[in-house]
Amino acid sequence: PARCSGEIALRDVTFRYRLRPDKAVLSGFSLSAAPGEVVALCGPSGGGKSSIIALLERFYEPEAGQVLLDGIPIGSLDPGWFHQRVALVGQEPILFGRSIADNIVFAVSNASAGSVLPNSIGAVYIVTMISCKSPALGTPKPTPEPAKDDQGTA
């Protein structure tokens, strides 16, 4: 597609892991999220929260139903195109030992901070989080602790 507005939908999705074919993790599950809408997935362990994310990231295909981006089944989209537009920041994100800005730029090949950051920040609503961490999209450098001997004295 020439344009991506960002509407995500799961329609009547059934999914089970190959190693547990007797247990459907999702059965007839549907969800819609409009562009810019915040959605929280809550539920017990094994309830399908991570499976929904894995389906959205195309790590798995549903047994039945559809996973859609702007009304188009994500399985029919070019994976490179799709992953340039859809990304996940997990509950416990793993960052390389650099600033948040450097991590964002690192994830986009052949990009500069000037070309990537303004769009990234607006798209994923991270301005508040970043501004609370440090100015100008940098992350604070850890303060090294003084070396200690076996007794714990510096």
Side-chain angles (χ1 to χ4, degrees):
R3 191 169 169 268
C4 175
S5 68
E7 180 182 356
I8 299 284
L10 286 88
R11 292 203 183 127
D12 202 26
V13 169
T14 297
F15 175 73
R16 62 185 87 229
Y17 289 99
R18 289 186 185 146
L19 295 176
R20 300 208 48 206
D22 57 315
K23 182 178 189 298
V25 178
L26 301 171
S27 182
F29 179 81
S30 295
L31 170 75
S32 294
E37 183 178 6
V38 176
V39 176
L41 300 174
C42 304
S45 177
K49 302 175 299 292
S50 297
S51 300
I52 293 166
I53 299 303
L55 287 165
L56 289 171
E57 291 184 290
R58 291 188 66 186
F59 292 159
Y60 300 101
E61 294 292 324
E63 179 180 308
Q66 295 182 307
V67 180
L68 308 165
L69 174 64
D70 294 338
I72 300 168
I74 64 170
S76 69
L77 299 171
D78 173 65
W81 181 92
F82 179 76
H83 286 289
Q84 284 179 346
R85 288 157 181 82
V86 176
L88 168 72
V89 177
Q91 191 172 6
E92 297 176 19
I94 298 171
L95 299 176
F96 295 100
R98 300 181 177 145
S99 70
I100 293 171
D102 289 341
N103 274 271
I104 293 170
V105 173
F106 179 76
V108 180
S109 61
N110 300 321
S112 66
S115 67
V116 174
L117 292 176
N119 292 330
S120 299
I121 293 166
V124 296
Y125 301 97
I126 60 173
V127 174
T128 302
M129 180 195 72
I130 292 171
S131 64
C132 290
K133 295 289 182 186
S134 66
L137 301 178
T139 51
K141 303 277 188 240
T143 306
E145 292 185 27
K148 296 180 181 177
D149 60 22
D150 291 343
Q151 283 74 39
T153 54

